[in-house]
Amino acid sequence: MVSNYPTAKYYFREFIMEGNRLIGIIGAMPEEVDGIVHLLTEREEFTQGMRTYYKGKLNAIPTIVVFSRWGKVAAATTVTALITEFKITELIFTGVAGAIHTDLNVGDIVIGKRFIQHDMDARPLMKKHEIPLLGKTYLDSDDDHINIALTAVQEILSTNKLQNAIGQQTLTEFNITKPKVVVGEIASGDKFFSNAVDKQTLLQELPDTLCVEMEGAAVAQVCFEYEIPFTIIRTISDAADDSAHIDFTSFLSKVSSLYSVEIIKSLYKTFEKNV
Ligand code: ADE
């Protein structure tokens, strides 16, 4: 059956040019997406499959911004649309995460080096956490993209740009004193960690985990399968324990968008120096 429903290609036809750089930015929260959308110039939007895609230019680089929705299926669907319909050439994901490593505090930033699906378990067909048919347990982001992200985040932390954007009152409220950035392992799954027992169980099983969230490893899998480079940056919103739901909610409304906007602005400035 032929559909007359206009597709993404119809709306964004001058924009979708195979071979040219086109960055997809996915935000894990509507608040973050709103902030990033406001950075776009020549903005247009297109809605499909319960997602609104905002296209425009950010520091002259063609960019599409979209809210992932929550969980692995939602995020995988969103990134697949960005790759197959919109023809993005690279992906950036920003969002929040619950701290698993004891050294991490609310307000710290994690750049994902490798990703595991903590809820993947197809035993006895394969070992726990192995992704069926891929024969892989971990999916890695590449060093070049990690280093660019690290430079960008170090820039905003060392110059106090982030702290200034947030303001002292909010920093004090969330006990954010000296936020740091670390690069390492992120565990993703369809579960919000909200008690100390589950947190300990995960830590025992996957001791290298820095933080947990609900999308990154799914996004990493799709990007791996389509050979799209990706950068996943997470801000710690809670300690993934019994107070997680309270800290998460208030961090989202007051802080997370400011982090994403500053991170994206700094990343794009770093791109200019790395062309
Ligand atoms: N994202 C932010 N906080 C989280 C938590 N505690 N569990 C899972 N995903 C999260």
Side-chain angles (χ1 to χ4, degrees):
M1 194 179 83
V2 178
S3 164
N4 290 324
Y5 189 75
T7 63
K9 281 196 188 103
Y10 172 86
Y11 275 103
F12 292 176
R13 56 193 180 283
E14 296 90 27
F15 199 66
I16 298 169
M17 297 168 290
E18 259 167 87
N20 289 355
R21 187 178 200 188
L22 174 53
I23 301 179
I25 301 179
I26 305 188
M29 301 297 156
E31 292 87 345
E32 295 175 313
V33 171
D34 283 353
I36 300 166
V37 163
H38 282 96
L39 301 175
L40 295 175
T41 55
E42 301 169 40
R43 199 166 77 213
E44 286 177 48
E45 61 182 75
F46 168 68
T47 300
Q48 174 180 274
M50 296 191 172
R51 286 149 178 80
T52 299
Y53 299 83
Y54 301 89
K55 70 125 174 134
K57 298 225 170 108
L58 215 161
N59 286 14
I61 303 175
T63 300
I64 299 188
V65 184
V66 61
F67 168 41
S68 61
R69 301 172 72 84
W70 291 359
K72 292 191 302 173
V73 173
T77 305
T78 310
V79 72
T80 304
L82 281 176
I83 295 170
T84 59
E85 290 213 42
F86 297 92
K87 310 288 180 205
I88 60 160
T89 56
E90 62 202 272
L91 181 89
I92 301 164
F93 191 107
T94 71
V96 292
I100 295 295
H101 196 287
T102 45
D103 283 353
L104 283 174
N105 301 308
V106 169
D108 289 343
I109 296 174
V110 177
I111 299 172
K113 164 70 191 144
R114 61 179 199 163
F115 296 84
I116 186 166
Q117 296 178 34
H118 63 70
D119 54 356
M120 176 62 77
D121 189 355
R123 290 176 297 174
L125 303 177
M126 48 210 64
K127 62 182 192 311
K128 192 164 185 191
H129 301 129
E130 183 176 319
I131 303 167
L133 308 181
L134 276 192
K136 280 175 150 306
T137 298
Y138 291 97
L139 292 164
D140 285 33
S141 189
D142 68 87
D143 288 343
D144 288 348
H145 285 82
I146 290 173
N147 287 334
I148 288 175
L150 188 57
T151 306
V153 174
Q154 279 167 341
E155 219 278 322
I156 49 171
L157 293 181
S158 64
T159 54
N160 281 345
K161 274 194 190 126
L162 192 54
Q163 292 90 324
N164 292 340
I166 295 168
Q168 193 52 51
Q169 196 180 338
T170 310
L171 289 170
T172 309
E173 183 185 338
F174 288 90
N175 208 8
I176 301 174
T177 47
K178 210 172 177 314
K180 58 184 174 297
V181 55
V182 285
V183 177
E185 197 166 307
I186 295 180
S188 317
D190 290 323
K191 172 182 174 65
F192 184 81
F193 279 75
S194 59
N195 69 70
V197 175
D198 289 349
K199 177 174 173 170
Q200 274 316 312
T201 307
L202 181 87
L203 199 50
Q204 269 158 20
E205 199 170 44
L206 299 169
D208 293 333
T209 305
L210 294 177
C211 61
V212 277
E213 36 84 314
M214 298 173 63
E215 297 84 17
V219 168
Q221 182 177 340
V222 175
C223 287
F224 171 79
E225 292 177 356
Y226 283 91
E227 298 180 33
I228 295 289
F230 62 94
T231 309
I232 299 180
I233 305 175
R234 293 284 186 170
T235 304
I236 300 300
S237 56
D238 59 87
D241 57 11
D242 301 75
S243 61
H245 60 293
I246 301 164
D247 298 340
F248 169 85
T249 311
S250 95
F251 191 87
L252 264 195
S253 63
K254 295 189 185 157
V255 191
S256 70
S257 160
L258 298 166
Y259 264 82
S260 301
V261 166
E262 290 306 318
I263 289 170
I264 292 294
K265 283 200 301 202
S266 187
L267 252 182
Y268 273 69
K269 274 204 194 116
T270 313
F271 290 154
E272 282 168 13
K273 295 178 204 146
N274 282 273
V275 177

